[in-house]
Amino acid sequence: MNPFERMVKRYQTLPKVDLTRGRSIAYSRSTTRRLMELIDANAHGNVHGGVIMRMVDEAAAIVAIKHSQNPTVVTARVERFDFLAPAFIGDVVSVHCEMSYVGRTSMEVGVEVMAEDVITGEVRHIASSYVIYVALDENRKPTPVPPLVPANDEEKTIIERARIRRMHWQKIDEELKRAEEVKD
């Protein structure tokens, strides 16, 4: 059996997810780490931004999969990706991810990327991002996910900030759509 057939067979019958039982931010929080090697370099000798973006997408997907208990989540949107400083070959890059907002079928994962010089111990915040995922059913249609329920005041604050941010982004999307309609 080839690996792809094994994957399909493994997830053909998934356990039923209880959509009434919410999950906290801590439930799915995750960190991924990787040593940056020569193959990760760009023409300037730094780690290529695309390498960092791929690491972010993969690490944030783990959070979305764990929260939704669904192996089929897709990246719907990258709301923001800010590169703050370079990472260098030999650095260990850590991608810290946590769920920050959950809609009916979509999930926003907040991401912070750090680079550590393992010789000097210097740690630098090199990037931040918000990535939106949608959970899909067996027909590749959006499917509901469990709600995000704060476990403490800190999580409540994260969720509230994400709700406000989402409202702002929706307003911007609506304004851009209206501007396009006027242009046409």
Side-chain angles (χ1 to χ4, degrees):
M1 180 181 303
N2 76 42
F4 297 107
E5 289 173 356
R6 188 175 302 120
M7 284 174 28
V8 168
K9 188 174 182 180
R10 180 178 178 194
Y11 294 123
Q12 276 180 337
T13 55
L14 293 171
K16 186 81 172 143
V17 177
D18 183 359
L19 296 175
T20 63
R21 189 167 170 222
R23 297 184 182 18
S24 69
I25 290 172
Y27 175 83
S28 60
R29 186 176 285 137
S30 180
T31 298
T32 301
R33 302 180 74 176
R34 190 171 146 247
L35 177 67
M36 297 294 101
E37 299 175 339
L38 194 54
I39 194 169
D40 301 315
N42 63 17
H44 305 291
N46 302 330
V47 174
H48 195 286
V51 170
I52 302 297
M53 293 173 82
R54 179 180 178 155
M55 287 181 67
V56 164
D57 192 30
E58 290 172 349
I62 291 169
V63 172
I65 291 166
K66 188 167 183 181
H67 178 86
S68 66
Q69 289 184 292
N70 183 339
T72 311
V73 299
V74 293
T75 308
R77 185 174 187 163
V78 177
E79 286 289 356
R80 185 171 188 138
F81 207 115
D82 296 315
F83 288 100
L84 308 170
F88 304 107
I89 304 311
D91 284 348
V92 171
V93 170
S94 301
V95 183
H96 307 284
C97 303
E98 64 183 19
M99 192 64 63
S100 53
Y101 183 85
V102 171
R104 192 178 73 76
T105 63
S106 65
M107 300 163 280
E108 178 191 275
V109 180
V111 181
E112 185 176 81
V113 185
M114 308 298 283
E116 178 183 1
D117 180 319
V118 292
I119 304 302
T120 67
E122 176 196 16
V123 177
R124 300 174 319 282
H125 182 187
I126 62 166
S128 294
S129 183
Y130 294 102
V131 188
I132 311 299
Y133 293 89
V134 173
L136 302 179
D137 64 16
E138 60 278 352
N139 299 313
R140 307 219 23 104
K141 301 291 183 205
T143 190
V145 297
L148 186 61
V149 179
N152 55 40
D153 287 342
E154 181 184 347
E155 288 192 3
K156 190 181 226 177
T157 300
I158 291 167
I159 294 167
E160 180 58 22
R161 287 180 56 123
R163 187 187 66 75
I164 292 168
R165 189 173 49 252
R166 185 170 173 93
M167 287 178 11
H168 285 295
W169 285 335
Q170 285 173 334
K171 281 183 188 175
I172 291 168
D173 286 345
E174 289 168 8
E175 289 174 19
L176 289 172
K177 188 176 180 182
R178 280 195 300 273
E180 284 296 315
E181 290 170 356
V182 169
K183 190 173 103 177
D184 292 338

